Amino acid sequence: YFLRHARSRNYVSESELCKLESVPLDFGDYHPLKPITVTESKTKKMNRKGSTSSTSSSSSSSMMDPLSSVLDGTDPLSLFAAAADPVTTAPPTDGARRKRDKDESLAVGSDFEPWSSKRGEILARYTTTEKLSINLYMGSEKGKATTTGSAVSEKVRTRLEELDDLEEGSQKELLNLTQQDYMNRIEELNQSLKDAWSSDQKVKALKIVIQCSKLLSDTTVIQFYPSKFVLITDILDTFGKLVYERILSMCVDNRVSLPDNFSPESVNDTAKETCLNWFFKIASIRELIPRFYVEAAILKCNKFLSRTGISECLPRLTSMIRGIGDPLVAVYARAYLCRVGMEVAPQLKESLNKNFFDFLLTFKQIHGDTVQNQLVVQCVEIPLYLTLYSPAIDWILQCIAYHAPDVLLTEMMERCKKLGNNALLLNSVMSAFRAEFIAARSMDFIGMIKECDESGFPKHLLFRSLGLNLALADPPENDRLQILNEAWKVITKLKNPQDYINCAEVWVEYTCRHFTKREVNTVLADVIKHMTPDRAFEDAYPQLQSVILKVIAYIYDFALLFSVEKFLPFLDMFQKESVRVEVCKCIMESFIKHQQESTKDPVILNALLHICKTMHDSVNALTLEDEKRMLAALINGFIKMVSFGRDFEQQLSFYVEARSMFCNLEPVLVQLIHSVNQLAMETRRVMKGNHSRKTAAFVRACVAFCFITIPSLSSIFTRLNLYLHSGQVALANQCLSQADAFFKAAVSLVPEVPKMISVDGKMRPSDAFLLEFLCNFFSTLLVVPDHPEQGVLFLVRGLLNVIQDYTWEDNSDDKVRIYTNVLHLLSAMTQEAYIYHVDKVDSNDALYGGDSKFLAEINKLSETVVSQILDHLKTLGKEETLKRQSQLALYFFNSILAHGDLRNNRLNQLSVNLWNLAQKHGFADTKTMVKTLEYIKRRSKQPETSHFTDLALRLPLQSRT
């Protein structure tokens, strides 16, 4: 009955009517992007008391920004700057400017690698399984009974006794500690220091620091010494910070603290006295090593006493280190002094240089009898012993080399030569100085490496350090090949596979950076030759992976990359699946990132198919969903980059092969279906819709590919949407029977939709997703022509039967909303000409030509649908469902308003009844109903809908109350 009185539509005129009204506008000088002219008002006040203010307005000739005019042409920061002290804002003199520029150039910047970044590496590298010992401070009971009225002299005497008590055995030695126990004890001492300080037991805190410093003279477990140094100096740093902050807090005057660049003159006498007291306490420490370390820890406190305090103390502390006999202990003491010096006075490079040159003078001690005897006792070989020096020497040289001129490097090289080109020193020099300096003198360093005295420090490590520099900076062009030849002569002779790959890994980057694929191929072949025997590659996967990353970082033309003969054999060394997959992922990421144009190069395709197959085959039941998504995204990126141009058959063959290779990754199958559909539409575009026998057969082959592939997918909504999409593609290519097959498959799949589906890992009701899909499906069914053997609207009938039998949620109205959308579809089907068509496909408007039997079938369907909607509205008459009834009644009313012919009395009355039902129980959406009524009144003024005038009079609006 509804569609017997469906409104006849003229879609063209309706479209014109809905367009925005064009109004002629005389722009003149106006343009929306042109700045606005603002009239600026200035108020002038007379100096005379009680005078009135006069206001003058002037139109600014220059265009002003409204926001700027509010601020009177200035921004807030400028206002603050203008209000600042004129002395501080005065321009600096030339002398002050030069001094400031010099200080900035000497200050430590972000390019200086801090000690904290080296700490973890040292702790991880220098470990031991031997038992360790530690002396713990146990505290003292002396002086605790002092009365409140004690004299100052008594207090001083008590403190001196406490300090002496440290020397008299107030400590406990813990033996047989494991490395972890030792580290825990050190952490306990650090915490004890903080607790003692916070409880105002400053002498106890000092005792703890002294006791910890003494541990640095113990080298009984020598291979653990670098890690011990790191742990103990953490405590020293904490102590130095606590002392400095304590004295700084005493300088607060009238709640104003000292600025960062304060002068000693601005420090009050109390703070200076306290600072001197600390230095006097430290000077009374009897042993050299704790006295040195504790004074170095509070070196920064010299700023409170005099301007030259730090510059005077550094040379004295440097000289103190000469009294330390053990060369290992001495070099770490020098490293700590450099650490503190770079923090408090980085500009005093002379003292740092003197510190290192002192070390060079005593360097021969390393090979002395005392050290050799100690190594024999501890069963430590000289190569291992020399590596213990590396962290300290590297740090000292880093401090010296920071912003150092070329002259200093030249001087360092000369001193190394005088010491017989010691390998340990040479390695540290190459690690410390800027890569540009080293690269410029590459041949000089190679000559020194050849002549150096290895003394347990192998030459291949020197070439590795040189290679690391050359990866960061370029050597002179004429020397590049000779450098590679000299280095590789040494590297290729290495017998130990681990030593070989550690060195080769570095020089691969140099080769890729400066040479052609021929040299890269030679290097890769040499790596394969060395790492294949005895499956040595199994212990070197990180280094081999690094080699691959460096190769693809510099050779990202994949045609060139895969023409490197040994590249794919190199990949075969990755036998461990997890590592092989990671390498394949890196290669695919590089391809997707750098490949700008699509490719059909068979070499690239075969190689990348093999790599993608490797990634795909790694997927199993335990693979995480995130990992699957990542692998699928990489494979899809590859598939999208493959194009055979106009050779569509070859393109389809590639997709068929890809489907067989990647069947376990659902997103890849989805991408292949989309790609094949796109291929079919591209064929249609080339043929301009007029298929030949050959192209028609090809398009049907594409459609068959999709029809076969879709059922293998697990996600039901993915299948539904792909059936719909592929059916639309088939329809566009005039494959009508194939399109019907897709749509039938979609209809038969609807009953299988579960009540709950997983969305982003959470279970959600599926009704909303099903409603969205069916609405899209209805839009397509409008243009699908009926099959001559299936009857009128066979697809619509089948879909309605499925919707009727589907079990909907009790509290859901989606079924009625779907039925309402079906009415929209049936209304559109009754029109003489449909709103849209598929090119070269006759829809039912052309096939039936408005035949009365066809319209009668539509009317029967519509009557069934309307009765279903009204029955559902009746079931919502209970108190708890009245709000839903109101919403659905208004929804159905709007559908009749849009699609029904309201000149019919019965349809008119039905709409009025729905309107009244919507607001009968006080649940109406008043705002929406007001707007709807306004729309009806506005439409009533148009000639073709003048009957809306009577309708508007019959639609009352009830108040909210």
Side-chain angles (χ1 to χ4, degrees):
Y1 175 79
F2 172 79
L3 292 180
R4 196 177 302 161
H5 301 284
R7 183 161 66 90
S8 179
R9 310 288 290 273
N10 186 330
Y11 292 116
V12 176
S13 63
E14 285 185 32
S15 175
E16 291 294 326
L17 192 64
C18 291
K19 285 183 179 177
L20 292 174
E21 184 181 358
S22 58
V23 179
L25 177 65
D26 182 16
F27 283 96
D29 290 335
Y30 169 78
H31 188 276
L33 299 180
K34 193 173 182 180
I36 303 169
T37 304
V38 178
T39 302
E40 183 183 5
S41 297
K42 295 182 180 178
T43 303
K44 299 178 182 178
K45 293 186 177 180
M46 308 299 289
N47 292 330
R48 191 171 64 256
K49 185 177 180 182
S51 62
T52 58
S53 61
S54 60
T55 303
S56 63
S57 297
S58 61
S59 180
S60 176
S61 59
S62 62
M63 301 302 177
M64 293 183 63
D65 176 20
L67 297 179
S68 300
S69 65
V70 174
L71 298 171
D72 198 20
T74 58
D75 64 278
L77 296 179
S78 301
L79 292 174
F80 285 128
D85 184 2
V87 176
T88 59
T89 56
T93 61
D94 290 343
R97 185 183 292 108
R98 282 196 296 271
K99 184 177 185 301
R100 184 190 66 202
D101 294 343
K102 182 180 179 183
D103 290 344
E104 287 178 355
S105 67
L106 293 172
V108 176
S110 59
D111 56 337
F112 183 80
E113 186 180 3
W115 174 258
S116 57
S117 65
K118 299 177 180 291
R119 182 181 179 280
E121 181 186 347
I122 294 172
L123 290 174
R125 181 179 176 188
Y126 297 98
T127 59
T128 183
T129 55
E130 294 187 30
K131 299 299 181 182
L132 303 160
S133 63
I134 186 172
N135 292 326
L136 282 181
Y137 169 67
M138 301 305 295
S140 172
E141 300 298 322
K142 292 183 181 181
K144 289 189 178 178
T146 307
T147 61
T148 310
S150 298
V152 176
S153 59
E154 182 67 22
K155 183 178 178 182
V156 171
R157 187 167 64 253
T158 302
R159 289 196 171 183
L160 289 173
E161 287 174 356
E162 287 178 346
L163 281 172
D164 288 339
D165 182 49
L166 180 65
E167 309 291 337
E168 294 168 7
S170 62
Q171 45 193 305
K172 177 182 177 182
E173 187 173 17
L174 299 179
L175 304 173
N176 297 323
L177 298 176
T178 65
Q179 179 181 321
Q180 189 58 49
D181 291 337
Y182 188 91
M183 295 172 74
N184 293 339
R185 296 293 182 184
I186 294 292
E187 183 55 39
E188 287 174 15
L189 283 172
N190 201 356
Q191 190 58 46
S192 298
L193 167 66
K194 294 175 183 175
D195 294 342
W197 191 271
S198 60
S199 59
D200 205 29
Q201 299 181 54
K202 304 295 189 294
V203 173
K204 180 180 178 182
L206 178 59
K207 286 183 177 184
I208 293 171
V209 174
I210 293 171
Q211 189 61 48
C212 290
S213 302
K214 282 187 173 185
L215 297 174
L216 290 173
S217 61
D218 176 24
T219 57
T220 50
V221 183
I222 201 164
Q223 61 266 39
F224 185 65
Y225 191 85
S227 292
K228 182 198 291 188
F229 171 79
V230 168
L231 297 170
I232 301 299
T233 52
D234 283 349
I235 297 177
L236 289 165
D237 293 341
T238 301
F239 177 72
K241 184 179 179 183
L242 291 171
V243 173
Y244 183 81
E245 289 176 352
R246 165 68 177 154
I247 299 172
L248 187 64
S249 67
M250 299 173 70
C251 299
V252 176
D253 188 20
N254 295 328
R255 296 186 179 180
V256 178
S257 58
L258 290 176
D260 291 339
N261 54 346
F262 66 88
S263 63
E265 291 78 15
S266 58
V267 179
N268 58 47
D269 292 341
T270 306
K272 285 186 177 180
E273 184 180 351
T274 304
C275 186
L276 280 170
N277 188 25
W278 277 109
F279 280 110
F280 291 154
K281 284 178 184 176
I282 292 165
S284 67
I285 299 173
R286 296 172 188 172
E287 295 187 28
L288 172 62
I289 289 177
R291 185 168 73 250
F292 163 79
Y293 273 107
V294 179
E295 183 175 354
I298 67 165
L299 180 66
K300 190 176 181 180
C301 295
N302 279 284
K303 291 173 65 177
F304 297 108
L305 300 177
S306 70
R307 294 178 184 273
T308 59
I310 294 175
S311 60
E312 291 170 357
C313 283
L314 275 175
R316 180 171 56 79
L317 290 171
T318 302
S319 300
M320 283 174 66
I321 299 173
R322 296 175 182 174
I324 301 175
D326 190 311
L328 185 65
V329 176
V331 78
Y332 276 94
R334 297 184 191 283
Y336 187 68
L337 187 60
C338 284
R339 249 179 74 188
V340 177
M342 286 299 286
E343 288 176 12
V344 301
Q347 70 277 12
L348 299 176
K349 284 290 186 67
E350 294 82 4
S351 297
L352 301 181
N353 294 349
K354 183 174 182 291
N355 191 4
F356 182 68
F357 294 148
D358 273 6
F359 163 70
L360 292 181
L361 292 173
T362 59
F363 185 73
K364 292 183 179 179
Q365 279 183 292
I366 293 174
H367 304 289
D369 292 340
T370 306
V371 173
Q372 296 299 326
N373 293 338
Q374 184 184 17
L375 297 183
V376 170
V377 170
Q378 296 197 34
C379 300
V380 175
E381 298 292 334
I382 191 70
L384 174 61
Y385 177 68
L386 288 175
T387 61
L388 302 179
Y389 284 82
S390 294
I393 298 176
D394 288 350
W395 177 257
I396 295 169
L397 280 169
Q398 179 185 326
C399 296
I400 292 173
Y402 183 65
H403 287 180
D406 286 16
V407 178
L408 184 60
L409 176 57
T410 306
E411 185 180 352
M412 288 291 174
M413 292 172 69
E414 292 301 321
R415 287 179 179 265
C416 285
K417 287 177 182 177
K418 288 179 182 177
L419 289 170
N421 290 329
N422 183 275
L424 176 65
L425 282 178
L426 198 56
N427 188 65
S428 295
V429 168
M430 288 191 289
S431 300
F433 280 85
R434 292 215 309 272
E436 293 81 6
F437 289 0
I438 308 296
R441 299 166 175 76
S442 299
M443 292 306 300
D444 294 337
F445 275 102
I446 286 177
M448 293 172 69
I449 292 171
K450 283 182 178 179
E451 299 171 5
C452 78
D453 171 22
E454 293 191 57
S455 300
F457 198 94
K459 284 185 181 180
H460 70 84
L461 293 182
L462 298 176
F463 275 107
R464 186 177 190 279
S465 296
L466 180 61
L468 288 171
N469 282 286
L470 296 180
L472 300 173
D474 299 335
E477 191 170 349
N478 295 334
D479 296 338
R480 290 174 184 173
L481 184 58
Q482 188 179 354
I483 291 169
L484 179 62
N485 288 334
E486 294 290 347
W488 210 260
K489 281 178 190 175
V490 176
I491 296 168
T492 196
K493 290 177 183 177
L494 294 173
K495 302 298 181 186
N496 186 314
Q498 203 62 39
D499 291 342
Y500 171 83
I501 193 60
N502 284 336
C503 209
E505 169 206 354
V506 174
W507 282 88
V508 163
E509 183 168 2
Y510 174 78
T511 310
C512 295
R513 187 176 174 130
H514 297 297
F515 298 99
T516 64
K517 71 171 188 177
R518 176 172 165 270
E519 287 78 11
V520 173
N521 191 62
T522 303
V523 169
L524 293 181
D526 196 59
V527 174
I528 294 171
K529 177 184 172 184
H530 279 78
M531 301 308 294
T532 303
D534 301 324
R535 299 179 68 84
F537 53 76
E538 291 181 344
D539 298 321
Y541 283 137
Q543 294 91 331
L544 294 173
Q545 195 170 347
S546 175
V547 170
I548 287 291
L549 290 175
K550 287 168 181 173
V551 170
I552 62 178
Y554 286 95
I555 308 177
Y556 40 79
D557 177 353
F558 276 74
L560 179 63
L561 178 65
F562 290 125
S563 66
V564 176
E565 184 183 346
K566 295 297 180 180
F567 183 76
L568 291 177
F570 191 94
L571 291 182
D572 292 338
M573 285 196 292
F574 294 99
Q575 300 286 313
K576 188 178 179 181
E577 185 180 66
S578 59
V579 181
R580 186 168 71 248
V581 171
E582 281 301 315
V583 171
C584 291
K585 282 160 64 176
C586 292
I587 294 171
M588 291 310 302
E589 285 169 1
S590 177
F591 175 79
I592 293 169
K593 179 180 177 181
H594 294 109
Q595 188 72 22
Q596 300 296 327
E597 298 177 354
S598 54
T599 181
K600 61 178 181 179
D601 188 326
V603 175
I604 295 178
L605 297 188
N606 289 332
L608 291 183
L609 276 173
H610 171 71
I611 289 169
C612 290
K613 177 68 172 168
T614 301
M615 294 193 300
H616 169 270
D617 291 348
S618 70
V619 175
N620 54 43
L622 300 178
T623 306
L624 297 174
E625 288 300 318
D626 283 347
E627 178 72 7
K628 288 181 183 178
R629 274 195 292 272
M630 179 183 291
L631 295 176
L634 293 173
I635 296 173
N636 285 344
F638 163 61
I639 289 171
K640 291 175 185 175
M641 293 304 298
V642 176
S643 173
F644 289 89
R646 288 291 185 90
D647 191 349
F648 293 158
E649 290 182 355
Q650 184 67 31
Q651 189 83 31
L652 182 60
S653 298
F654 169 78
Y655 292 144
V656 171
E657 183 182 1
R659 181 179 62 184
S660 66
M661 295 177 75
F662 309 126
C663 55
N664 289 333
L665 288 173
E666 191 161 303
V668 178
L669 295 179
V670 172
Q671 176 59 46
L672 287 170
I673 292 168
H674 284 306
S675 297
V676 171
N677 279 329
Q678 187 178 355
L679 186 62
M681 294 305 291
E682 181 66 15
T683 307
R684 178 181 180 275
R685 186 189 65 81
V686 170
M687 299 302 293
K688 298 179 180 177
N690 299 311
H691 284 299
S692 63
R693 181 179 298 178
K694 183 179 180 180
T695 59
F698 174 76
V699 167
R700 285 195 293 273
C702 292
V703 170
F705 175 98
C706 299
F707 193 76
I708 293 169
T709 310
I710 293 173
S712 63
L713 305 176
S714 61
S715 170
I716 193 160
F717 277 102
T718 302
R719 277 186 279 162
L720 283 171
N721 287 311
L722 285 173
Y723 274 134
L724 178 58
H725 183 213
S726 301
Q728 291 167 345
V729 170
L731 197 63
N733 284 282
Q734 300 122 52
C735 301
L736 302 184
S737 59
Q738 286 84 352
D740 283 349
F742 279 115
F743 298 140
K744 285 179 184 176
V747 171
S748 63
L749 194 58
V750 170
E752 299 178 22
V753 175
K755 295 291 175 289
M756 304 291 287
I757 58 171
S758 176
V759 179
D760 297 330
K762 296 179 181 179
M763 298 305 292
R764 301 282 174 83
S766 62
D767 290 359
F769 297 95
L770 183 56
L771 175 62
E772 180 186 2
F773 166 75
L774 290 174
C775 289
N776 290 335
F777 200 1
F778 295 149
S779 300
T780 303
L781 289 179
L782 174 63
V783 293
V784 177
D786 282 344
H787 194 284
E789 299 175 3
Q790 299 286 347
V792 178
L793 302 181
F794 73 101
L795 285 174
V796 178
R797 290 175 186 277
L799 188 54
L800 284 173
N801 291 333
V802 166
I803 295 168
Q804 177 66 26
D805 295 338
Y806 188 80
T807 307
W808 300 89
E809 293 290 334
D810 293 337
N811 60 347
S812 171
D813 298 319
D814 287 333
K815 183 177 181 180
V816 173
R817 295 183 185 277
I818 291 170
Y819 279 150
T820 309
N821 281 302
V822 171
L823 288 179
H824 302 168
L825 169 64
L826 296 175
S827 173
M829 284 182 165
T830 62
Q831 305 302 318
E832 291 185 11
Y834 291 171
I835 188 170
Y836 48 81
H837 295 86
V838 177
D839 188 33
K840 295 184 173 56
V841 174
D842 290 332
S843 298
N844 286 337
D845 57 342
L847 293 179
Y848 291 107
D851 183 75
S852 57
K853 291 181 180 179
F854 173 66
L855 296 177
E857 289 292 331
I858 293 177
N859 285 333
K860 285 181 185 178
L861 280 177
S862 66
E863 287 174 9
T864 306
V865 171
V866 170
S867 64
Q868 291 279 348
I869 295 172
L870 295 177
D871 288 344
H872 185 80
L873 284 172
K874 288 177 185 178
T875 62
L876 298 178
K878 299 174 185 177
E879 186 176 351
E880 63 271 14
T881 56
L882 290 176
K883 185 174 182 180
R884 288 166 54 197
Q885 185 188 59
S886 172
Q887 292 171 342
L888 281 181
L890 183 58
Y891 185 70
F892 190 28
F893 170 84
N894 285 325
S895 294
I896 294 176
L897 187 65
H899 299 280
D901 185 358
L902 292 174
R903 286 174 294 194
N904 178 269
N905 292 332
R906 291 178 64 185
L907 198 57
N908 196 301
Q909 185 58 47
L910 175 60
S911 64
V912 172
N913 292 343
L914 289 169
W915 178 270
N916 293 330
L917 180 62
Q919 52 188 344
K920 181 177 180 180
H921 299 287
F923 290 103
D925 183 352
T926 309
K927 187 176 179 181
T928 302
M929 297 190 79
V930 168
K931 288 187 175 180
T932 304
L933 191 56
E934 288 174 356
Y935 167 77
I936 293 171
K937 290 177 180 177
R938 204 163 51 246
R939 288 290 306 274
S940 67
K941 296 176 183 178
Q942 297 172 7
E944 65 274 12
T945 52
S946 57
H947 57 280
F948 277 21
T949 305
D950 296 334
L951 177 64
L953 295 175
R954 298 177 64 194
L955 300 178
L957 269 179
Q958 294 180 3
S959 65
R960 288 180 183 275
T961 57

